[in-house]
Amino acid sequence: MHTSSTLKAAQTAAALRDEGHSVIDLTVGEPDFDTPQFIKEYAWEGLQKGLTKYTPSSGMKTFTHAVADFYKGQFGASFGPSEAVASSGGKQALFNACCTLLNPGDDVLIPKPYWVTFPEIVTFCAANSVFIDTEATDFVLTADQVKAAITDKTKLLIINSPSNPSGRVIPPSEMRKIIEACVERGVYVLTDECYLFFAYPPGEVFTSASLPAEVREFVCVAGSFSKTFAMTGWRIGYTIANESWSKAMIKLQSHSATHPTSFVQYACAKAMENASESMAAVQSMLAEYERRRDWLIPALNTINGFKCGMPEGAFYAFVDVRSLLGDRFKTSADVADLMLNEAHTVVTDGTGFGAPGFIRISYATSMENLQTAIERLSKIFGTRSATAA
Ligand SMILES: Cc1ncc(COP(=O)(O)O)c(C=O)c1O
């Protein structure tokens, strides 16, 4: 396995900061909002109630029931609490799903660009990552691409929509077709829905948890509270999968993390039960991300050599800088290095996401930071009049 590609940039940024420079960090993969106060209070309530001991490895009953009820209320999904398993973040949900399904030598389809952790988990399971190039369809995976990629060795497809790093969203109708194509060939699907609630209007939010039971037999949803309720440090997520897959994941988890923190489960269960307040909190975060996106993307497109489409979800701008490559810059990593060293602005090179020639800019940071970053980048690269990407 490899360490995260953002680490090197983060270390250089820290060194520049130590030297007294004002560094703008646009690598962050976490909301800049605090966890809503009422969720913090639920955690305190849980502690007061004495929820400080082990819980079942599947998660507390109140938690798994709350997941099932929340999905029913929000999406009309109908699955039972025994199909939901609490995990210590979305990452552990993905690990639980892959480690219980994959055998050494299995092929796993991963659309490019991908979140850095997907191929690492596949490697950990001694399986093979088989990448599907989606540039021809503007980074939106299609059922035809999946059909063309499936072979007898394919065991699993991992999908992440809204996507980190591209911000693209697969339309619900295409998602259904993709999953149906997999089910027809007996291929499992793991949908990483950690940005589920961050699709910008008028886009439609789609969870594969709402698919009919016979299709869900092949599907596992990996969910997370990290982005949804700005709870990255609390380490809590969940899977939604058929009962036998869930049982295997519970067994595995009983020998690893055991379960996520008891009073954190309680806080999340209460937040899901209080869906109106929770969804209002999500909506206000989404509105702020949208305001930043609407300002940032046109601004990026005024910078010489930058080309960026409008993200439909998550909080990342994925910028094509290939037109800058040549004598001055050999790779997008060189572009990112110049941004760091001359504009003290840290971004993530796309190579780690399987997209060399691109850089990822997170707008989970203040408008003020974004404006300063654009001013600095305009100075070093120069500007042109705004163009549609
Ligand atoms: C696509 C994607 N999936 C999963 C995660 C994991 O989130 P967590 O483990 O904090 O729930 C992240 C975090 O950045 C992510 O971007």
Side-chain angles (χ1 to χ4, degrees), residues 165-188:
S166 74
R168 299 308 311 269
V169 175
I170 303 171
S173 56
E174 197 63 30
M175 272 292 254
R176 284 194 186 89
K177 282 190 206 155
I178 291 169
I179 294 171
E180 277 160 19
C182 288
V183 172
E184 252 172 44
R185 298 285 300 270
V187 171
Y188 290 83

Side-chain angles (χ1 to χ4, degrees), residues 29 89-91 94 115 160 164 192 194-195 224 226-227 235 316:
K91 237 176 228 177
L94 294 163
W115 182 48
N160 171 222
N164 173 9
D192 177 344
C194 103
Y195 295 95
S224 169
S226 287
K227 324 280 167 164
R235 310 308 307 135
Y316 306 104

